Amino acid sequence: MIALMLRLPRVSVDHLGMTITPVSTLQRLLAHGIAIRVTEFGRIEYNRDQLTALLPQLYKENPEGLLFGTDLPATRVRYRFSRADLQLIATVFDHDQAAINRVLWKNGQLWYQQLK
């Protein structure tokens, strides 16, 4: 599937790939300009400690590649979006406002604008 994704003109991966995916695979996708959606933490297999380690690595690979989202109403999850998800992003990026702004809204805005 990765080979196909790399040939598509525009694609994104939802929920960090849903399963625990090797960091090298996610970095490869980011390096090729494929956006990774940092969404619905109650659905993915990563726990908070894993996310805290993973997200900075992915951001370093491509600062424009992470797109945050809530995925509300999120009816099939262990827990729904909460303010704790926003706090996690702030903590992960050590309160670096530029990085937080990119992940929370700017990257998504740019990604969707490029679809036009």
Side-chain angles (χ1 to χ4, degrees), residues 13-27:
V13 174
D14 275 349
H15 317 295
L16 287 163
M18 293 286 288
T19 61
I20 294 184
T21 304
V23 174
S24 60
T25 300
L26 296 173
Q27 288 172 320

Side-chain angles (χ1 to χ4, degrees), residues 41-104:
F41 296 145
R43 175 178 287 197
I44 61 177
E45 291 183 9
Y46 295 95
N47 64 39
R48 298 247 173 199
D49 290 338
Q50 291 168 315
L51 286 171
T52 300
L54 175 65
L55 293 177
Q57 292 177 61
L58 298 180
Y59 184 84
K60 184 177 178 182
E61 181 64 44
N62 180 353
E64 295 179 356
L66 298 180
L67 312 176
F68 181 82
T70 64
D71 253 12
L72 289 172
T75 58
R76 300 175 294 163
V77 297
R78 294 184 307 271
Y79 70 87
R80 292 183 180 190
F81 166 77
S82 73
R83 288 180 157 224
D85 297 337
L86 297 173
Q87 185 58 45
L88 175 69
I89 297 297
T91 300
V92 162
F93 294 104
D94 198 27
H95 301 280
D96 174 348
Q97 200 59 52
I100 294 166
N101 286 343
R102 276 183 178 228
V103 173
L104 291 182

